[in-house]
Amino acid sequence: MARVFLHAPQDFRNLCAISRTLEVFGQTECFIYDRHRLIRERYGKYRVREQRVVSAGAFQKVQWNRVEDPEAFVKDYAGRVVATVPTAGASMLTQYGFADTDVLLFGSESAGLPDNVVAACAGAVTIASHGQTQSLNLAVALGVVLFECERQLALRSQ
């Protein structure tokens, strides 16, 4: 099963939605470069309620593994790190051949991934966009990419 790495997510509600998607797909852990310190030991009453409602309890079921130096992580990872980007130069999601050992790298909601991190990746994929909107919401994009990756891996194991 491929793994997920979030690079500097900015929106707590999005992170909660992502945790729900991760848990549904059986992902028990997630790498995270948490520049905005969204992952904490303790949260206030409002955040706990928000976390519980948006993630449907999944937030606490995911082990969040902090990465302090994303570029070093990408360079040192034993498998492939695959960047997800909204650019035409990337491979189409459905045409990329995913592997069990891949790490799927997602950028922040507003800035995406830094060029130096994308350059260090083994590959980059993009989701086909037929509308005028530039890109999908981070949580939605993660679900689409994870689904396609898991679909391909399931087909190969049959």
Side-chain angles (χ1 to χ4, degrees), residues 2-157:
R3 300 163 85 186
V4 173
F5 180 1
L6 302 175
H7 185 283
Q10 298 169 294
D11 185 280
F12 184 74
R13 290 180 67 85
N14 239 0
L15 190 60
C16 291
I18 287 168
S19 71
R20 188 173 184 165
T21 301
L22 290 171
E23 203 282 325
V24 165
F25 275 97
Q27 299 277 334
T28 57
E29 63 180 345
C30 180
F31 297 108
I32 185 166
Y33 172 56
D34 191 17
R35 187 173 75 200
H36 303 288
R37 299 293 177 208
L38 299 178
I39 307 292
R40 300 179 184 165
E41 288 292 320
R42 295 179 52 148
Y43 296 95
K45 202 182 305 184
Y46 174 78
R47 283 287 197 214
V48 168
R49 182 178 178 282
E50 185 176 38
Q51 182 187 94
R52 188 177 58 248
V53 169
V54 177
S55 78
F59 194 90
Q60 299 301 326
K61 295 175 184 170
V62 175
Q63 178 182 327
W64 302 99
N65 298 323
R66 289 188 188 276
V67 172
E68 297 303 326
D69 185 348
E71 197 171 355
F73 176 91
V74 170
K75 287 178 182 174
D76 296 340
Y77 185 71
R80 295 185 307 183
V81 178
V82 182
T84 57
V85 294
T87 57
S91 300
M92 292 304 300
L93 174 65
T94 55
Q95 296 173 355
Y96 192 84
F98 291 100
D100 278 344
T101 57
D102 287 346
V103 169
L104 309 174
L105 176 60
F106 296 86
S108 72
E109 293 88 343
S110 64
L113 290 167
D115 291 338
N116 63 323
V117 173
V118 174
C121 290
V125 297
T126 192
I127 300 169
S129 174
H130 304 291
Q132 295 178 352
T133 305
Q134 183 181 8
S135 63
L136 291 170
N137 167 278
L138 175 58
V140 173
L142 183 136
V144 170
V145 172
L146 200 51
F147 175 84
E148 176 59 19
C149 177
E150 293 299 314
R151 184 192 70 79
Q152 286 184 24
L153 295 175
L155 284 174
R156 278 192 223 125
S157 68

